[in-house]
Amino acid sequence: MRRTSGDKYDVIIIGAGHNGLVAASYLARSGLRVSLHERQHRIGGAAQALDIFGVKTTAGATWSGMLRPEIAVDLQLHQHGYTAVPLNPQVLAVAEDGRTIGLFLDDIDTASSVQNYYGEPRPDVLKDIHRYEQHVSRAARFIESIYPIATSAERLNHLSRAHKDVQAFMGSSIQEIFTRYKFPEFLKSALAAGALSLTNSSTSTDGGGFALAYMATANTAEIPGAWGIPRGGMYEI
């Protein structure tokens, strides 16, 4: 873009990845003059397509669960062909002996997966899985309630009014949280993996519960907590 000395902008955004593009779109829609800068020769950031040894793949982003449904509507992504498909199972944990447990969108499928692993129905394990999912979901819904709050002070004030169970969950370490549930360690490791990728910390670090809950703020095809992938790959966004 050629600029003149008289050009003025209300906002300058550095980086035309998918987050920068969304921010620029909303700011421009509000009437502000936006200047968007990208050092690469194409936009999209981690969601852009790359050719690796003749295979088309994403530059880094793999799942679209954190693309808020309201953003897809506001930017009319569906009119341009965007459709996300929920992962099913949402989590697939693999034991050392190769057996698996999957956490599916349907509780019946999850129960079948647990039964296949143990060789018998295990309502006690299912009960703890369900209890864990309820605790994570409750904290996730609280985190979503904070999104519209602008300042850190207001967010902290909102947090102080959260239910004590939600505060305790978000402030606890992942290690501490998982001592409360009696399902296999390899399943706990699979559940913790995504949260640890966000925090770059250990399972003993306080606040791990917040990361677990944040991962559960995903939403795909209007299913709260569900991760998914766009038809055609992330670069189709």
Side-chain angles (χ1 to χ4, degrees), residues 64 67 72 77-84 220 229-231 236-237:
S64 61
L67 176 57
L77 298 185
H78 299 292
Q79 286 89 317
H80 294 278
Y82 170 73
T83 303
T220 301
I229 188 169
R231 291 191 185 278
E236 290 298 326
I237 293 181

Side-chain angles (χ1 to χ4, degrees), residues 110-131:
T110 299
S112 177
S113 179
V114 170
Q115 180 172 336
N116 288 338
Y117 173 76
Y118 285 101
E120 62 179 357
R122 289 296 300 269
D124 56 329
V125 173
L126 290 172
K127 181 179 179 180
D128 260 17
I129 290 175
H130 183 61
R131 194 162 59 90

Side-chain angles (χ1 to χ4, degrees), residues 79-143:
Q79 286 89 317
H80 294 278
Y82 170 73
T83 303
V85 180
L87 300 174
N88 198 21
Q90 285 285 299
V91 175
L92 182 63
V94 183
E96 290 185 5
D97 61 7
R99 291 182 296 160
T100 64
I101 289 180
L103 301 187
F104 291 81
L105 296 175
D106 191 312
D107 290 341
I108 294 177
D109 293 332
T110 299
S112 177
S113 179
V114 170
Q115 180 172 336
N116 288 338
Y117 173 76
Y118 285 101
E120 62 179 357
R122 289 296 300 269
D124 56 329
V125 173
L126 290 172
K127 181 179 179 180
D128 260 17
I129 290 175
H130 183 61
R131 194 162 59 90
Y132 167 76
E133 291 177 335
Q134 283 185 318
H135 290 163
V136 170
S137 178
R138 189 176 183 184
R141 302 295 79 80
F142 174 80
I143 292 173

